[in-house]
PDB file of all heavy atoms in Angstrom:
ATOM      1  N   SER Y   1      14.806   3.556 -15.979  1.00 97.00           N
ATOM      2  CA  SER Y   1      14.447   2.479 -15.066  1.00 97.00           C
ATOM      3  C   SER Y   1      13.161   2.849 -14.306  1.00 97.00           C
ATOM      4  O   SER Y   1      12.743   3.997 -14.294  1.00 97.00           O
ATOM      5  CB  SER Y   1      15.597   2.290 -14.042  1.00 97.00           C
ATOM      6  OG  SER Y   1      15.695   3.472 -13.218  1.00 97.00           O
ATOM      7  N   MET Y   2      12.569   1.844 -13.658  1.00 97.00           N
ATOM      8  CA  MET Y   2      11.390   2.109 -12.816  1.00 97.00           C
ATOM      9  C   MET Y   2      11.784   3.068 -11.690  1.00 97.00           C
ATOM     10  O   MET Y   2      10.985   3.909 -11.307  1.00 97.00           O
ATOM     11  CB  MET Y   2      10.860   0.804 -12.269  1.00 97.00           C
ATOM     12  CG  MET Y   2       9.975   0.043 -13.197  1.00 97.00           C
ATOM     13  SD  MET Y   2       8.370   0.809 -13.496  1.00 97.00           S
ATOM     14  CE  MET Y   2       7.503   0.297 -11.989  1.00 97.00           C
ATOM     15  N   GLU Y   3      12.965   2.911 -11.175  1.00 97.00           N
ATOM     16  CA  GLU Y   3      13.416   3.807 -10.099  1.00 97.00           C
ATOM     17  C   GLU Y   3      13.401   5.252 -10.544  1.00 97.00           C
ATOM     18  O   GLU Y   3      12.936   6.164  -9.810  1.00 97.00           O
ATOM     19  CB  GLU Y   3      14.829   3.421  -9.639  1.00 97.00           C
ATOM     20  CG  GLU Y   3      15.368   4.207  -8.490  1.00 97.00           C
ATOM     21  CD  GLU Y   3      16.724   3.773  -8.080  1.00 97.00           C
ATOM     22  OE1 GLU Y   3      17.340   2.936  -8.773  1.00 97.00           O
ATOM     23  OE2 GLU Y   3      17.201   4.251  -7.002  1.00 97.00           O
ATOM     24  N   GLU Y   4      13.858   5.512 -11.771  1.00 98.00           N
ATOM     25  CA  GLU Y   4      13.883   6.879 -12.269  1.00 98.00           C
ATOM     26  C   GLU Y   4      12.461   7.376 -12.593  1.00 98.00           C
ATOM     27  O   GLU Y   4      12.135   8.538 -12.342  1.00 98.00           O
ATOM     28  CB  GLU Y   4      14.746   6.945 -13.545  1.00 98.00           C
ATOM     29  CG  GLU Y   4      16.243   6.727 -13.267  1.00 98.00           C
ATOM     30  CD  GLU Y   4      17.037   6.553 -14.545  1.00 98.00           C
ATOM     31  OE1 GLU Y   4      16.692   5.626 -15.334  1.00 98.00           O
ATOM     32  OE2 GLU Y   4      17.997   7.306 -14.740  1.00 98.00           O
ATOM     33  N   ALA Y   5      11.630   6.500 -13.115  1.00 98.00           N
ATOM     34  CA  ALA Y   5      10.289   6.888 -13.498  1.00 98.00           C
ATOM     35  C   ALA Y   5       9.409   7.197 -12.264  1.00 98.00           C
ATOM     36  O   ALA Y   5       8.565   8.085 -12.299  1.00 98.00           O
ATOM     37  CB  ALA Y   5       9.611   5.802 -14.335  1.00 98.00           C
ATOM     38  N   LEU Y   6       9.606   6.461 -11.192  1.00 98.00           N
ATOM     39  CA  LEU Y   6       8.788   6.635 -10.006  1.00 98.00           C
ATOM     40  C   LEU Y   6       9.359   7.715  -9.046  1.00 98.00           C
ATOM     41  O   LEU Y   6       8.682   8.020  -8.035  1.00 98.00           O
ATOM     42  CB  LEU Y   6       8.631   5.322  -9.249  1.00 98.00           C
ATOM     43  CG  LEU Y   6       7.968   4.168 -10.024  1.00 98.00           C
ATOM     44  CD1 LEU Y   6       7.731   2.973  -9.089  1.00 98.00           C
ATOM     45  CD2 LEU Y   6       6.639   4.620 -10.646  1.00 98.00           C
ATOM     46  N   ALA Y   7      10.544   8.192  -9.308  1.00 98.00           N
ATOM     47  CA  ALA Y   7      11.175   9.127  -8.357  1.00 98.00           C
ATOM     48  C   ALA Y   7      10.336  10.372  -8.046  1.00 98.00           C
ATOM     49  O   ALA Y   7      10.224  10.748  -6.872  1.00 98.00           O
ATOM     50  CB  ALA Y   7      12.560   9.542  -8.902  1.00 98.00           C
ATOM     51  N   PRO Y   8       9.705  11.048  -9.025  1.00 98.00           N
ATOM     52  CA  PRO Y   8       8.903  12.224  -8.648  1.00 98.00           C
ATOM     53  C   PRO Y   8       7.734  11.896  -7.734  1.00 98.00           C
ATOM     54  O   PRO Y   8       7.434  12.611  -6.761  1.00 98.00           O
ATOM     55  CB  PRO Y   8       8.414  12.739 -10.016  1.00 98.00           C
ATOM     56  CG  PRO Y   8       9.431  12.271 -10.994  1.00 98.00           C
ATOM     57  CD  PRO Y   8       9.816  10.909 -10.486  1.00 98.00           C
ATOM     58  N   ALA Y   9       7.053  10.760  -7.991  1.00 98.00           N
ATOM     59  CA  ALA Y   9       5.920  10.379  -7.166  1.00 98.00           C
ATOM     60  C   ALA Y   9       6.378  10.072  -5.738  1.00 98.00           C
ATOM     61  O   ALA Y   9       5.699  10.418  -4.777  1.00 98.00           O
ATOM     62  CB  ALA Y   9       5.219   9.128  -7.765  1.00 98.00           C
ATOM     63  N   ILE Y  10       7.506   9.379  -5.613  1.00 98.00           N
ATOM     64  CA  ILE Y  10       8.030   9.026  -4.292  1.00 98.00           C
ATOM     65  C   ILE Y  10       8.361  10.318  -3.531  1.00 98.00           C
ATOM     66  O   ILE Y  10       8.050  10.450  -2.337  1.00 98.00           O
ATOM     67  CB  ILE Y  10       9.261   8.120  -4.420  1.00 98.00           C
ATOM     68  CG1 ILE Y  10       8.827   6.781  -4.991  1.00 98.00           C
ATOM     69  CG2 ILE Y  10       9.954   7.964  -3.091  1.00 98.00           C
ATOM     70  CD1 ILE Y  10       9.978   5.891  -5.420  1.00 98.00           C
ATOM     71  N   ARG Y  11       8.956  11.266  -4.232  1.00 98.00           N
ATOM     72  CA  ARG Y  11       9.282  12.539  -3.571  1.00 98.00           C
ATOM     73  C   ARG Y  11       8.017  13.268  -3.098  1.00 98.00           C
ATOM     74  O   ARG Y  11       7.981  13.770  -1.968  1.00 98.00           O
ATOM     75  CB  ARG Y  11      10.052  13.419  -4.529  1.00 98.00           C
ATOM     76  CG  ARG Y  11      10.553  14.729  -3.903  1.00 98.00           C
ATOM     77  CD  ARG Y  11      11.471  15.508  -4.848  1.00 98.00           C
ATOM     78  NE  ARG Y  11      10.762  15.967  -6.050  1.00 98.00           N
ATOM     79  CZ  ARG Y  11      10.927  15.450  -7.261  1.00 98.00           C
ATOM     80  NH1 ARG Y  11      11.762  14.427  -7.447  1.00 98.00           N
ATOM     81  NH2 ARG Y  11      10.256  15.911  -8.286  1.00 98.00           N
ATOM     82  N   TYR Y  12       6.977  13.326  -3.909  1.00 98.00           N
ATOM     83  CA  TYR Y  12       5.733  13.953  -3.495  1.00 98.00           C
ATOM     84  C   TYR Y  12       5.147  13.254  -2.277  1.00 98.00           C
ATOM     85  O   TYR Y  12       4.652  13.908  -1.338  1.00 98.00           O
ATOM     86  CB  TYR Y  12       4.699  13.916  -4.619  1.00 98.00           C
ATOM     87  CG  TYR Y  12       4.979  14.842  -5.801  1.00 98.00           C
ATOM     88  CD1 TYR Y  12       4.609  14.450  -7.088  1.00 98.00           C
ATOM     89  CD2 TYR Y  12       5.568  16.065  -5.615  1.00 98.00           C
ATOM     90  CE1 TYR Y  12       4.848  15.281  -8.167  1.00 98.00           C
ATOM     91  CE2 TYR Y  12       5.804  16.909  -6.714  1.00 98.00           C
ATOM     92  CZ  TYR Y  12       5.440  16.505  -7.987  1.00 98.00           C
ATOM     93  OH  TYR Y  12       5.646  17.321  -9.077  1.00 98.00           O
ATOM     94  N   ALA Y  13       5.194  11.915  -2.268  1.00 98.00           N
ATOM     95  CA  ALA Y  13       4.601  11.180  -1.172  1.00 98.00           C
ATOM     96  C   ALA Y  13       5.365  11.357   0.154  1.00 98.00           C
ATOM     97  O   ALA Y  13       4.737  11.526   1.176  1.00 98.00           O
ATOM     98  CB  ALA Y  13       4.543   9.692  -1.529  1.00 98.00           C
ATOM     99  N   ILE Y  14       6.680  11.328   0.071  1.00 97.00           N
ATOM    100  CA  ILE Y  14       7.506  11.426   1.265  1.00 97.00           C
ATOM    101  C   ILE Y  14       7.649  12.854   1.793  1.00 97.00           C
ATOM    102  O   ILE Y  14       7.503  13.137   2.985  1.00 97.00           O
ATOM    103  CB  ILE Y  14       8.884  10.812   1.037  1.00 97.00           C
ATOM    104  CG1 ILE Y  14       8.768   9.348   0.596  1.00 97.00           C
ATOM    105  CG2 ILE Y  14       9.761  10.904   2.281  1.00 97.00           C
ATOM    106  CD1 ILE Y  14       8.103   8.431   1.592  1.00 97.00           C
ATOM    107  N   GLU Y  15       7.890  13.784   0.870  1.00 97.00           N
ATOM    108  CA  GLU Y  15       8.138  15.168   1.267  1.00 97.00           C
ATOM    109  C   GLU Y  15       6.872  15.990   1.393  1.00 97.00           C
ATOM    110  O   GLU Y  15       6.826  16.986   2.104  1.00 97.00           O
ATOM    111  CB  GLU Y  15       9.099  15.850   0.272  1.00 97.00           C
ATOM    112  CG  GLU Y  15      10.454  15.187   0.222  1.00 97.00           C
ATOM    113  CD  GLU Y  15      11.400  15.844  -0.797  1.00 97.00           C
ATOM    114  OE1 GLU Y  15      10.968  16.861  -1.398  1.00 97.00           O
ATOM    115  OE2 GLU Y  15      12.508  15.347  -1.003  1.00 97.00           O
ATOM    116  N   GLY Y  16       5.804  15.585   0.693  1.00 97.00           N
ATOM    117  CA  GLY Y  16       4.544  16.272   0.791  1.00 97.00           C
ATOM    118  C   GLY Y  16       4.273  17.209  -0.379  1.00 97.00           C
ATOM    119  O   GLY Y  16       5.170  17.554  -1.164  1.00 97.00           O
ATOM    120  N   TYR Y  17       3.021  17.620  -0.474  1.00 97.00           N
ATOM    121  CA  TYR Y  17       2.608  18.530  -1.568  1.00 97.00           C
ATOM    122  C   TYR Y  17       1.339  19.258  -1.097  1.00 97.00           C
ATOM    123  O   TYR Y  17       0.605  18.768  -0.209  1.00 97.00           O
ATOM    124  CB  TYR Y  17       2.288  17.743  -2.835  1.00 97.00           C
ATOM    125  CG  TYR Y  17       1.134  16.783  -2.669  1.00 97.00           C
ATOM    126  CD1 TYR Y  17      -0.159  17.137  -2.996  1.00 97.00           C
ATOM    127  CD2 TYR Y  17       1.345  15.506  -2.143  1.00 97.00           C
ATOM    128  CE1 TYR Y  17      -1.228  16.283  -2.808  1.00 97.00           C
ATOM    129  CE2 TYR Y  17       0.287  14.625  -1.955  1.00 97.00           C
ATOM    130  CZ  TYR Y  17      -0.999  15.035  -2.277  1.00 97.00           C
ATOM    131  OH  TYR Y  17      -2.039  14.153  -2.076  1.00 97.00           O
ATOM    132  N   PRO Y  18       1.017  20.420  -1.649  1.00 96.00           N
ATOM    133  CA  PRO Y  18      -0.200  21.132  -1.284  1.00 96.00           C
ATOM    134  C   PRO Y  18      -1.406  20.605  -2.067  1.00 96.00           C
ATOM    135  O   PRO Y  18      -1.301  20.343  -3.259  1.00 96.00           O
ATOM    136  CB  PRO Y  18       0.132  22.591  -1.657  1.00 96.00           C
ATOM    137  CG  PRO Y  18       1.119  22.476  -2.771  1.00 96.00           C
ATOM    138  CD  PRO Y  18       1.911  21.221  -2.519  1.00 96.00           C
ATOM    139  N   VAL Y  19      -2.499  20.469  -1.376  1.00 95.00           N
ATOM    140  CA  VAL Y  19      -3.714  19.917  -1.997  1.00 95.00           C
ATOM    141  C   VAL Y  19      -4.501  20.998  -2.700  1.00 95.00           C
ATOM    142  O   VAL Y  19      -4.700  22.095  -2.184  1.00 95.00           O
ATOM    143  CB  VAL Y  19      -4.614  19.240  -0.938  1.00 95.00           C
ATOM    144  CG1 VAL Y  19      -5.925  18.743  -1.554  1.00 95.00           C
ATOM    145  CG2 VAL Y  19      -3.852  18.080  -0.284  1.00 95.00           C
ATOM    146  N   THR Y  20      -4.978  20.710  -3.920  1.00 92.00           N
ATOM    147  CA  THR Y  20      -5.777  21.679  -4.724  1.00 92.00           C
ATOM    148  C   THR Y  20      -7.221  21.624  -4.299  1.00 92.00           C
ATOM    149  O   THR Y  20      -7.708  20.727  -3.618  1.00 92.00           O
ATOM    150  CB  THR Y  20      -5.670  21.358  -6.201  1.00 92.00           C
ATOM    151  OG1 THR Y  20      -6.169  20.059  -6.439  1.00 92.00           O
ATOM    152  CG2 THR Y  20      -4.216  21.431  -6.662  1.00 92.00           C
ATOM    153  N   GLU Y  21      -7.989  22.593  -4.812  1.00 90.00           N
ATOM    154  CA  GLU Y  21      -9.428  22.719  -4.476  1.00 90.00           C
ATOM    155  C   GLU Y  21     -10.194  21.481  -4.872  1.00 90.00           C
ATOM    156  O   GLU Y  21     -10.985  20.940  -4.085  1.00 90.00           O
ATOM    157  CB  GLU Y  21     -10.030  23.947  -5.128  1.00 90.00           C
ATOM    158  CG  GLU Y  21      -9.582  25.276  -4.589  1.00 90.00           C
ATOM    159  CD  GLU Y  21      -8.412  25.866  -5.354  1.00 90.00           C
ATOM    160  OE1 GLU Y  21      -7.696  25.104  -6.049  1.00 90.00           O
ATOM    161  OE2 GLU Y  21      -8.230  27.110  -5.285  1.00 90.00           O
ATOM    162  N   VAL Y  22     -10.003  21.049  -6.118  1.00 89.00           N
ATOM    163  CA  VAL Y  22     -10.789  19.903  -6.606  1.00 89.00           C
ATOM    164  C   VAL Y  22     -10.491  18.636  -5.804  1.00 89.00           C
ATOM    165  O   VAL Y  22     -11.391  17.904  -5.374  1.00 89.00           O
ATOM    166  CB  VAL Y  22     -10.539  19.676  -8.092  1.00 89.00           C
ATOM    167  CG1 VAL Y  22     -11.154  18.371  -8.583  1.00 89.00           C
ATOM    168  CG2 VAL Y  22     -11.046  20.834  -8.929  1.00 89.00           C
ATOM    169  N   VAL Y  23      -9.207  18.373  -5.585  1.00 92.00           N
ATOM    170  CA  VAL Y  23      -8.824  17.150  -4.860  1.00 92.00           C
ATOM    171  C   VAL Y  23      -9.291  17.226  -3.397  1.00 92.00           C
ATOM    172  O   VAL Y  23      -9.746  16.237  -2.826  1.00 92.00           O
ATOM    173  CB  VAL Y  23      -7.311  16.931  -4.959  1.00 92.00           C
ATOM    174  CG1 VAL Y  23      -6.893  15.770  -4.068  1.00 92.00           C
ATOM    175  CG2 VAL Y  23      -6.926  16.635  -6.420  1.00 92.00           C
ATOM    176  N   ALA Y  24      -9.219  18.387  -2.787  1.00 93.00           N
ATOM    177  CA  ALA Y  24      -9.688  18.563  -1.437  1.00 93.00           C
ATOM    178  C   ALA Y  24     -11.175  18.235  -1.322  1.00 93.00           C
ATOM    179  O   ALA Y  24     -11.638  17.591  -0.373  1.00 93.00           O
ATOM    180  CB  ALA Y  24      -9.414  19.978  -0.933  1.00 93.00           C
ATOM    181  N   ALA Y  25     -11.950  18.694  -2.316  1.00 91.00           N
ATOM    182  CA  ALA Y  25     -13.357  18.405  -2.305  1.00 91.00           C
ATOM    183  C   ALA Y  25     -13.661  16.922  -2.477  1.00 91.00           C
ATOM    184  O   ALA Y  25     -14.527  16.351  -1.810  1.00 91.00           O
ATOM    185  CB  ALA Y  25     -14.058  19.207  -3.406  1.00 91.00           C
ATOM    186  N   GLN Y  26     -12.905  16.273  -3.380  1.00 91.00           N
ATOM    187  CA  GLN Y  26     -13.115  14.831  -3.587  1.00 91.00           C
ATOM    188  C   GLN Y  26     -12.664  14.036  -2.353  1.00 91.00           C
ATOM    189  O   GLN Y  26     -13.258  12.985  -2.062  1.00 91.00           O
ATOM    190  CB  GLN Y  26     -12.303  14.406  -4.822  1.00 91.00           C
ATOM    191  CG  GLN Y  26     -12.818  14.975  -6.124  1.00 91.00           C
ATOM    192  CD  GLN Y  26     -11.908  14.662  -7.299  1.00 91.00           C
ATOM    193  OE1 GLN Y  26     -10.718  14.405  -7.152  1.00 91.00           O
ATOM    194  NE2 GLN Y  26     -12.507  14.659  -8.508  1.00 91.00           N
ATOM    195  N   TRP Y  27     -11.640  14.485  -1.666  1.00 95.00           N
ATOM    196  CA  TRP Y  27     -11.095  13.761  -0.530  1.00 95.00           C
ATOM    197  C   TRP Y  27     -12.101  13.624   0.602  1.00 95.00           C
ATOM    198  O   TRP Y  27     -12.070  12.682   1.378  1.00 95.00           O
ATOM    199  CB  TRP Y  27      -9.822  14.466  -0.053  1.00 95.00           C
ATOM    200  CG  TRP Y  27      -8.795  13.591   0.578  1.00 95.00           C
ATOM    201  CD1 TRP Y  27      -8.978  12.639   1.559  1.00 95.00           C
ATOM    202  CD2 TRP Y  27      -7.386  13.585   0.299  1.00 95.00           C
ATOM    203  NE1 TRP Y  27      -7.791  12.078   1.893  1.00 95.00           N
ATOM    204  CE2 TRP Y  27      -6.790  12.618   1.133  1.00 95.00           C
ATOM    205  CE3 TRP Y  27      -6.598  14.285  -0.584  1.00 95.00           C
ATOM    206  CZ2 TRP Y  27      -5.423  12.350   1.115  1.00 95.00           C
ATOM    207  CZ3 TRP Y  27      -5.225  14.036  -0.614  1.00 95.00           C
ATOM    208  CH2 TRP Y  27      -4.669  13.055   0.241  1.00 95.00           C
ATOM    209  N   ARG Y  28     -13.003  14.599   0.692  1.00 94.00           N
ATOM    210  CA  ARG Y  28     -14.002  14.569   1.793  1.00 94.00           C
ATOM    211  C   ARG Y  28     -14.866  13.338   1.729  1.00 94.00           C
ATOM    212  O   ARG Y  28     -15.436  12.885   2.724  1.00 94.00           O
ATOM    213  CB  ARG Y  28     -14.846  15.831   1.759  1.00 94.00           C
ATOM    214  CG  ARG Y  28     -14.137  17.091   2.233  1.00 94.00           C
ATOM    215  CD  ARG Y  28     -15.080  18.188   2.584  1.00 94.00           C
ATOM    216  NE  ARG Y  28     -15.780  18.701   1.425  1.00 94.00           N
ATOM    217  CZ  ARG Y  28     -15.341  19.697   0.650  1.00 94.00           C
ATOM    218  NH1 ARG Y  28     -14.180  20.300   0.939  1.00 94.00           N
ATOM    219  NH2 ARG Y  28     -16.021  20.117  -0.392  1.00 94.00           N
ATOM    220  N   HIS Y  29     -14.985  12.738   0.558  1.00 91.00           N
ATOM    221  CA  HIS Y  29     -15.722  11.503   0.414  1.00 91.00           C
ATOM    222  C   HIS Y  29     -15.142  10.406   1.287  1.00 91.00           C
ATOM    223  O   HIS Y  29     -15.868   9.530   1.795  1.00 91.00           O
ATOM    224  CB  HIS Y  29     -15.760  11.066  -1.041  1.00 91.00           C
ATOM    225  CG  HIS Y  29     -16.387   9.709  -1.275  1.00 91.00           C
ATOM    226  ND1 HIS Y  29     -17.700   9.427  -0.960  1.00 91.00           N
ATOM    227  CD2 HIS Y  29     -15.864   8.570  -1.796  1.00 91.00           C
ATOM    228  CE1 HIS Y  29     -17.954   8.179  -1.289  1.00 91.00           C
ATOM    229  NE2 HIS Y  29     -16.854   7.613  -1.761  1.00 91.00           N
ATOM    230  N   GLY Y  30     -13.818  10.430   1.477  1.00 91.00           N
ATOM    231  CA  GLY Y  30     -13.177   9.431   2.288  1.00 91.00           C
ATOM    232  C   GLY Y  30     -13.586   9.488   3.747  1.00 91.00           C
ATOM    233  O   GLY Y  30     -13.457   8.491   4.470  1.00 91.00           O
ATOM    234  N   GLU Y  31     -14.053  10.599   4.217  1.00 94.00           N
ATOM    235  CA  GLU Y  31     -14.464  10.725   5.624  1.00 94.00           C
ATOM    236  C   GLU Y  31     -15.628   9.769   5.943  1.00 94.00           C
ATOM    237  O   GLU Y  31     -15.777   9.257   7.045  1.00 94.00           O
ATOM    238  CB  GLU Y  31     -14.838  12.146   5.963  1.00 94.00           C
ATOM    239  CG  GLU Y  31     -13.656  13.078   5.890  1.00 94.00           C
ATOM    240  CD  GLU Y  31     -14.018  14.534   6.209  1.00 94.00           C
ATOM    241  OE1 GLU Y  31     -15.227  14.839   6.273  1.00 94.00           O
ATOM    242  OE2 GLU Y  31     -13.111  15.359   6.371  1.00 94.00           O
ATOM    243  N   GLU Y  32     -16.485   9.533   4.942  1.00 92.00           N
ATOM    244  CA  GLU Y  32     -17.611   8.571   5.115  1.00 92.00           C
ATOM    245  C   GLU Y  32     -17.191   7.176   4.686  1.00 92.00           C
ATOM    246  O   GLU Y  32     -17.589   6.173   5.320  1.00 92.00           O
ATOM    247  CB  GLU Y  32     -18.808   9.041   4.329  1.00 92.00           C
ATOM    248  CG  GLU Y  32     -19.400  10.369   4.786  1.00 92.00           C
ATOM    249  CD  GLU Y  32     -20.617  10.741   3.968  1.00 92.00           C
ATOM    250  OE1 GLU Y  32     -21.022   9.920   3.080  1.00 92.00           O
ATOM    251  OE2 GLU Y  32     -21.174  11.826   4.197  1.00 92.00           O
ATOM    252  N   LEU Y  33     -16.408   7.096   3.617  1.00 93.00           N
ATOM    253  CA  LEU Y  33     -16.075   5.786   3.040  1.00 93.00           C
ATOM    254  C   LEU Y  33     -15.158   5.005   3.946  1.00 93.00           C
ATOM    255  O   LEU Y  33     -15.306   3.789   4.149  1.00 93.00           O
ATOM    256  CB  LEU Y  33     -15.416   5.971   1.665  1.00 93.00           C
ATOM    257  CG  LEU Y  33     -14.881   4.717   1.015  1.00 93.00           C
ATOM    258  CD1 LEU Y  33     -16.031   3.777   0.622  1.00 93.00           C
ATOM    259  CD2 LEU Y  33     -14.091   5.105  -0.271  1.00 93.00           C
ATOM    260  N   PHE Y  34     -14.103   5.657   4.498  1.00 94.00           N
ATOM    261  CA  PHE Y  34     -13.095   4.942   5.248  1.00 94.00           C
ATOM    262  C   PHE Y  34     -13.537   4.741   6.681  1.00 94.00           C
ATOM    263  O   PHE Y  34     -13.544   5.686   7.511  1.00 94.00           O
ATOM    264  CB  PHE Y  34     -11.788   5.760   5.194  1.00 94.00           C
ATOM    265  CG  PHE Y  34     -11.117   5.791   3.850  1.00 94.00           C
ATOM    266  CD1 PHE Y  34     -10.503   6.939   3.403  1.00 94.00           C
ATOM    267  CD2 PHE Y  34     -11.110   4.670   3.031  1.00 94.00           C
ATOM    268  CE1 PHE Y  34      -9.880   6.981   2.165  1.00 94.00           C
ATOM    269  CE2 PHE Y  34     -10.510   4.692   1.789  1.00 94.00           C
ATOM    270  CZ  PHE Y  34      -9.896   5.850   1.347  1.00 94.00           C
ATOM    271  N   THR Y  35     -13.874   3.513   7.012  1.00 92.00           N
ATOM    272  CA  THR Y  35     -14.229   3.155   8.384  1.00 92.00           C
ATOM    273  C   THR Y  35     -13.170   2.281   9.010  1.00 92.00           C
ATOM    274  O   THR Y  35     -13.122   2.173  10.252  1.00 92.00           O
ATOM    275  CB  THR Y  35     -15.577   2.421   8.413  1.00 92.00           C
ATOM    276  OG1 THR Y  35     -15.497   1.236   7.561  1.00 92.00           O
ATOM    277  CG2 THR Y  35     -16.715   3.309   7.861  1.00 92.00           C
ATOM    278  N   ASP Y  36     -12.332   1.634   8.215  1.00 90.00           N
ATOM    279  CA  ASP Y  36     -11.297   0.757   8.712  1.00 90.00           C
ATOM    280  C   ASP Y  36     -10.063   1.547   9.166  1.00 90.00           C
ATOM    281  O   ASP Y  36      -9.724   2.583   8.596  1.00 90.00           O
ATOM    282  CB  ASP Y  36     -10.899  -0.233   7.594  1.00 90.00           C
ATOM    283  CG  ASP Y  36      -9.818  -1.210   8.063  1.00 90.00           C
ATOM    284  OD1 ASP Y  36     -10.175  -2.200   8.700  1.00 90.00           O
ATOM    285  OD2 ASP Y  36      -8.652  -0.940   7.754  1.00 90.00           O
ATOM    286  N   GLU Y  37      -9.371   1.047  10.162  1.00 92.00           N
ATOM    287  CA  GLU Y  37      -8.232   1.750  10.724  1.00 92.00           C
ATOM    288  C   GLU Y  37      -7.082   1.907   9.711  1.00 92.00           C
ATOM    289  O   GLU Y  37      -6.413   2.936   9.700  1.00 92.00           O
ATOM    290  CB  GLU Y  37      -7.710   1.053  11.961  1.00 92.00           C
ATOM    291  CG  GLU Y  37      -7.236  -0.402  11.719  1.00 92.00           C
ATOM    292  CD  GLU Y  37      -6.666  -1.031  12.971  1.00 92.00           C
ATOM    293  OE1 GLU Y  37      -6.104  -0.296  13.803  1.00 92.00           O
ATOM    294  OE2 GLU Y  37      -6.794  -2.245  13.117  1.00 92.00           O
ATOM    295  N   HIS Y  38      -6.869   0.921   8.828  1.00 94.00           N
ATOM    296  CA  HIS Y  38      -5.816   1.019   7.863  1.00 94.00           C
ATOM    297  C   HIS Y  38      -6.093   2.180   6.881  1.00 94.00           C
ATOM    298  O   HIS Y  38      -5.184   2.938   6.556  1.00 94.00           O
ATOM    299  CB  HIS Y  38      -5.692  -0.283   7.063  1.00 94.00           C
ATOM    300  CG  HIS Y  38      -5.272  -1.458   7.876  1.00 94.00           C
ATOM    301  ND1 HIS Y  38      -5.623  -2.748   7.555  1.00 94.00           N
ATOM    302  CD2 HIS Y  38      -4.590  -1.542   9.031  1.00 94.00           C
ATOM    303  CE1 HIS Y  38      -5.119  -3.573   8.467  1.00 94.00           C
ATOM    304  NE2 HIS Y  38      -4.483  -2.860   9.365  1.00 94.00           N
ATOM    305  N   ALA Y  39      -7.319   2.262   6.454  1.00 95.00           N
ATOM    306  CA  ALA Y  39      -7.692   3.336   5.487  1.00 95.00           C
ATOM    307  C   ALA Y  39      -7.622   4.704   6.136  1.00 95.00           C
ATOM    308  O   ALA Y  39      -7.092   5.649   5.535  1.00 95.00           O
ATOM    309  CB  ALA Y  39      -9.087   3.069   4.935  1.00 95.00           C
ATOM    310  N   ARG Y  40      -8.125   4.812   7.331  1.00 95.00           N
ATOM    311  CA  ARG Y  40      -8.118   6.124   7.991  1.00 95.00           C
ATOM    312  C   ARG Y  40      -6.710   6.561   8.360  1.00 95.00           C
ATOM    313  O   ARG Y  40      -6.371   7.749   8.230  1.00 95.00           O
ATOM    314  CB  ARG Y  40      -8.988   6.079   9.216  1.00 95.00           C
ATOM    315  CG  ARG Y  40     -10.473   5.837   8.908  1.00 95.00           C
ATOM    316  CD  ARG Y  40     -11.379   5.953  10.113  1.00 95.00           C
ATOM    317  NE  ARG Y  40     -11.520   7.343  10.516  1.00 95.00           N
ATOM    318  CZ  ARG Y  40     -12.405   8.202   9.987  1.00 95.00           C
ATOM    319  NH1 ARG Y  40     -13.203   7.817   8.998  1.00 95.00           N
ATOM    320  NH2 ARG Y  40     -12.493   9.421  10.454  1.00 95.00           N
ATOM    321  N   ALA Y  41      -5.849   5.601   8.713  1.00 95.00           N
ATOM    322  CA  ALA Y  41      -4.471   5.977   9.038  1.00 95.00           C
ATOM    323  C   ALA Y  41      -3.746   6.446   7.802  1.00 95.00           C
ATOM    324  O   ALA Y  41      -2.889   7.371   7.878  1.00 95.00           O
ATOM    325  CB  ALA Y  41      -3.751   4.783   9.651  1.00 95.00           C
ATOM    326  N   ALA Y  42      -4.066   5.854   6.654  1.00 95.00           N
ATOM    327  CA  ALA Y  42      -3.370   6.207   5.397  1.00 95.00           C
ATOM    328  C   ALA Y  42      -3.843   7.558   4.845  1.00 95.00           C
ATOM    329  O   ALA Y  42      -3.018   8.349   4.365  1.00 95.00           O
ATOM    330  CB  ALA Y  42      -3.537   5.106   4.388  1.00 95.00           C
ATOM    331  N   TYR Y  43      -5.141   7.791   4.857  1.00 96.00           N
ATOM    332  CA  TYR Y  43      -5.690   8.921   4.129  1.00 96.00           C
ATOM    333  C   TYR Y  43      -6.422   9.941   5.009  1.00 96.00           C
ATOM    334  O   TYR Y  43      -6.757  11.041   4.512  1.00 96.00           O
ATOM    335  CB  TYR Y  43      -6.584   8.416   3.001  1.00 96.00           C
ATOM    336  CG  TYR Y  43      -5.823   7.726   1.942  1.00 96.00           C
ATOM    337  CD1 TYR Y  43      -5.725   6.354   1.870  1.00 96.00           C
ATOM    338  CD2 TYR Y  43      -5.103   8.462   0.974  1.00 96.00           C
ATOM    339  CE1 TYR Y  43      -4.983   5.714   0.909  1.00 96.00           C
ATOM    340  CE2 TYR Y  43      -4.340   7.846   0.004  1.00 96.00           C
ATOM    341  CZ  TYR Y  43      -4.281   6.459  -0.042  1.00 96.00           C
ATOM    342  OH  TYR Y  43      -3.534   5.851  -1.000  1.00 96.00           O
TER     343      TYR Y  43
END
């Protein structure tokens, strides 16, 4: 089911996960891109 297929992603999102080097470097782009409150609150 979709519930079973999405379960790992939901767990990562709710419980958290450690960020890797590559993703951390890419995420910094959001500091300039995200100017809206919804985006900044989310990411």
Side-chain angles (χ1 to χ4, degrees):
S1 66
M2 279 288 281
E3 183 178 9
E4 291 169 304
L6 299 187
I10 293 168
R11 185 173 65 253
Y12 289 146
I14 301 300
E15 298 179 4
Y17 64 93
V19 175
T20 61
E21 291 94 338
V22 171
V23 173
Q26 294 173 335
W27 209 310
R28 287 197 293 271
H29 174 61
E31 294 179 350
E32 295 181 4
L33 175 66
F34 292 140
T35 58
D36 180 82
E37 60 178 329
H38 296 153
R40 297 187 72 84
Y43 291 100

